[in-house]
Amino acid sequence: MTSRDTDLQSPEKRTLTLSGHVGFDSLPDQLVSKSVSLGFCFNILCVGETGIGKSTLMNTLFNTTFEYEEASHYQNIVYLRPRTYDLQESNVDLKLTIVDTVGFGDQVNKEESYKPIVDYIDCQFEYFLQEELKIKRSLHNYLDTRIHVCLYFISPTGHSLRSLDLVTMKKLDSKVNIIPLIAKADTISKCELNKFKIKIMSELVSNGVQVYQFPTDDEAVTEINSSMNAHLPLAVVGSSEEVKVGNKQVRARQYPWGVVQVENENHCDFVKLREMLIRVNMEDLREQTHSRHYELYRRCKLEEMGFKDSDTDSQPFSLQDVYVAKRREFLAELQRSEEDMRQMFVTKVKETEAELKERERELHERFEQLKRIHQEEKQSLEQKRRELEEEMNSFSRRKVAAETLQANTLQTSITHTIKKDKDKRNIFSLSSALSFATEGNVN
Ligand code: GTP
Ligand code: MG
């Protein structure tokens, strides 16, 4: 660092007294007026199982009825549903976004239930970071969707925290301000509630889960905030009904045995929550989101991208150097992957060529084999044909011989028969002559 840099960073300071009113004491008012004219935004994430009372509590907190649909218990996955509302109180505009975790706790396997929530939070940080990194930024009218607070609804079981709650809170605690709430606190007795609160806090501490602590560094709120920290987790009751108590209409839940008044501090911690969340610490929650959670995300992301505050020689970080180094790295990587691709392509071509050659050789062999078989079959057929012809010739010869023999035999037999007949006839005529001669002699 040069001596000029040092001079610029720590100019000589002197305290002077003004001899009259100048007017910069109106700066806080100017800030207020500017902020009021821009309006505010506040984003709440409600994490809790289906039907635990998230929407009812939001309606009760903001004293209105937000549109909402009941979630089904049959979601395959958890998904986040953000809804934004423009609210006005006195002359202050508030853009309120309520993000609901739909289907949380409904799956048989809840191992990955926290993931969509973490991804959603990171995604909003990423949008903001991208806006910050733009050359032409418009942060003054940027719709900030980063989650300022996570109201974590715990079932009023009176037992201990479920592992799903512990895992989810552990995954979220470095990304968002978590305020743990015991939902439907009217369903648990006062004594059990106190024990449950102690148990939850001890479980959170022993598992290293960091929940949001109401800040105690600002004198104006130190007292109230430190006393409220002792009440965590806040036990809340929500209701959309109004019941007449005395001569006043109040938000309450009416039961056959009595009325639970939402705003009665003896009945539940709803008022404490509203006080802490909206009336006292809303700005701190916004501030913590930006300076702690977003800052952590931004730092990790920029480090991942290769940015750092000082180089290896502890010299101040130079964006230009990092850019050049990154560009060189990127080009080298590109060249490497191009070379890899080329190598891969050549190898693939060689492999395919070898494969084709092998196939061709196999086909040729097969062809030769078939040709050989064909030749052998042809030869054997030829042989058979010759044998048959031979057989036919010998058969014809035998036939002719047989016929000749037969004809000769017939001739001989005919001749023989004729001779026999002749002999017979001769004998007959001889005997006739003899008998005639004999008869003549007798007479
Ligand atoms: P999904 O959005 O469907 O997940 O439900 P949710 O968490 O928004 O719950 P919702 O506010 O719709 O309430 C569900 C039921 O619980 C309704 O019948 C409410 O009247 C009831 N309920 C809400 N808050 C309380 C509460 O503090 N105590 C009791 N006893 N019941 C409540
Ligand atoms: Mg709801």
Side-chain angles (χ1 to χ4, degrees):
M1 211 184 290
T2 64
S3 64
R4 192 171 164 274
D5 288 338
T6 324
D7 288 350
L8 282 174
Q9 277 183 10
S10 48
E12 196 190 333
K13 270 195 286 181
R14 279 190 301 157
T15 309
L16 296 178
T17 325
L18 304 174
S19 30
H21 181 245
V22 181
F24 60 77
D25 58 353
S26 69
L27 237 162
D29 301 332
Q30 292 174 36
L31 268 177
V32 170
S33 138
K34 192 164 181 187
S35 303
V36 167
S37 72
L38 281 174
F40 298 88
C41 79
F42 192 60
N43 306 321
I44 304 177
L45 167 67
C46 294
V47 181
E49 64 192 50
T50 307
I52 202 166
K54 303 181 289 291
S55 306
T56 312
L57 189 78
M58 287 299 107
N59 291 346
T60 318
L61 264 177
F62 288 91
N63 215 358
T64 184
T65 308
F66 298 113
E67 278 174 74
Y68 73 88
E69 307 125 36
E70 264 181 33
S72 116
H73 280 279
Y74 306 109
Q75 301 290 335
N76 291 333
I77 47 154
V78 177
Y79 71 93
L80 280 88
R81 185 177 55 194
R83 295 270 160 86
T84 301
Y85 307 92
D86 282 320
L87 305 179
Q88 195 176 39
E89 191 173 45
S90 309
N91 63 340
V92 178
D93 292 319
L94 180 71
K95 209 172 259 307
L96 177 73
T97 300
I98 299 173
V99 186
D100 232 329
T101 47
V102 182
F104 186 75
D106 283 335
Q107 294 73 38
V108 178
N109 182 354
K110 301 181 181 67
E111 246 173 57
E112 306 266 279
S113 296
Y114 70 86
K115 260 197 167 165
I117 308 174
V118 169
D119 290 348
Y120 182 89
I121 296 173
D122 280 347
C123 194
Q124 311 317 309
F125 284 151
E126 185 60 33
Y127 289 148
F128 194 83
L129 181 64
Q130 289 305 323
E131 188 61 39
E132 270 192 338
L133 293 176
K134 274 185 188 167
I135 291 179
K136 254 175 105 179
R137 299 183 297 179
S138 44
L139 287 171
H140 62 285
N141 59 3
Y142 174 81
L143 176 60
D144 191 358
T145 53
R146 292 171 300 173
I147 299 294
H148 299 119
V149 66
C150 161
L151 297 180
Y152 198 98
F153 291 71
I154 299 165
S155 286
T157 57
H159 289 267
S160 54
L161 277 174
R162 295 174 311 171
S163 52
L164 170 67
D165 297 328
L166 270 176
V167 170
T168 310
M169 281 198 252
K170 184 87 195 127
K171 294 281 178 192
L172 295 183
D173 71 353
S174 60
K175 295 180 179 291
V176 69
N177 302 307
I178 302 175
I179 299 183
L181 304 177
I182 297 173
K184 299 190 180 180
D186 53 324
T187 59
I188 184 167
S189 76
K190 200 166 180 157
C191 173
E192 280 175 338
L193 182 66
N194 287 335
K195 282 191 202 150
F196 192 36
K197 278 189 173 194
I198 295 167
K199 192 148 196 200
I200 289 173
M201 284 320 279
S202 81
E203 280 184 348
L204 290 177
V205 171
S206 61
N207 284 283
V209 178
Q210 295 222 321
V211 294
Y212 175 71
Q213 292 291 306
F214 304 120
T216 50
D217 43 6
D218 178 356
E219 266 177 40
V221 290
T222 306
E223 202 178 321
I224 182 167
N225 276 354
S226 43
S227 77
M228 290 299 165
N229 279 330
H231 286 281
L232 286 171
L234 300 176
V236 292
V237 174
S239 173
S240 42
E241 289 170 54
E242 292 220 329
V243 177
K244 195 159 184 187
V245 175
N247 50 7
K248 263 174 72 184
Q249 285 287 113
V250 292
R251 279 209 184 241
R253 297 191 74 83
Q254 196 161 23
Y255 293 107
W257 54 88
V259 172
V260 180
Q261 295 169 40
V262 169
E263 297 189 33
N264 185 331
E265 291 205 49
N266 288 321
H267 292 189
C268 71
D269 299 331
F270 173 80
V271 171
K272 294 185 181 74
L273 173 68
R274 188 176 59 197
E275 206 67 14
M276 290 293 95
L277 180 70
I278 303 175
R279 298 184 183 171
V280 180
N281 296 309
M282 196 184 247
E283 185 47 30
D284 184 69
L285 286 162
R286 285 159 36 93
E287 226 266 317
Q288 289 281 322
T289 302
H290 185 74
S291 63
R292 205 169 125 222
H293 302 300
Y294 171 67
E295 205 53 33
L296 179 66
Y297 178 85
R298 180 181 163 279
R299 201 182 67 213
C300 295
K301 202 73 198 189
L302 293 185
E303 277 172 1
E304 216 175 85
M305 286 159 77
F307 295 101
K308 41 191 180 284
D309 285 337
S310 58
D311 59 22
T312 39
D313 312 324
S314 303
Q315 289 300 306
F317 157 83
S318 155
L319 191 63
Q320 173 73 16
D321 289 349
V322 172
Y323 171 73
V324 171
K326 272 271 146 193
R327 190 166 183 276
R328 213 174 292 138
E329 213 177 280
F330 173 73
L331 286 176
E333 179 64 36
L334 196 72
Q335 217 169 355
R336 240 194 329 273
S337 52
E338 228 178 69
E339 183 57 29
D340 286 353
M341 291 261 283
R342 212 174 56 77
Q343 277 299 331
M344 213 162 75
F345 180 72
V346 169
T347 321
K348 270 257 170 263
V349 166
K350 275 188 183 154
E351 274 173 15
T352 319
E353 228 174 57
E355 220 172 277
L356 281 174
K357 270 195 182 141
E358 178 62 22
R359 293 267 297 276
E360 194 184 329
R361 194 187 57 74
E362 278 173 14
L363 274 175
H364 192 72
E365 252 177 31
R366 181 105 186 98
F367 173 72
E368 284 300 319
Q369 193 187 6
L370 284 174
K371 209 167 127 185
R372 230 178 8 258
I373 293 170
H374 174 72
Q375 202 69 31
E376 280 166 14
E377 273 178 7
K378 200 174 154 188
Q379 276 172 4
S380 110
L381 279 175
E382 191 63 31
Q383 176 69 25
K384 270 194 185 141
R385 193 179 63 82
R386 269 200 303 275
E387 281 169 12
L388 275 174
E389 264 177 15
E390 192 61 39
E391 247 176 66
M392 268 166 67
N393 288 342
S394 93
F395 177 74
S396 312
R397 274 196 305 276
R398 278 206 305 277
K399 192 178 160 197
V400 170
E403 275 172 2
T404 318
L405 187 69
Q406 202 177 12
N408 287 346
T409 318
L410 196 64
Q411 186 69 39
T412 317
S413 101
I414 290 170
T415 319
H416 190 69
T417 315
I418 292 172
K419 193 173 169 257
K420 247 182 170 177
D421 278 357
K422 226 182 206 173
D423 288 350
K424 259 186 194 166
R425 261 198 317 269
N426 286 345
I427 292 169
F428 180 67
S429 51
L430 194 64
S431 68
S432 306
L434 272 174
S435 69
F436 185 68
T438 318
E439 268 175 33
N441 287 342
V442 170
N443 288 332

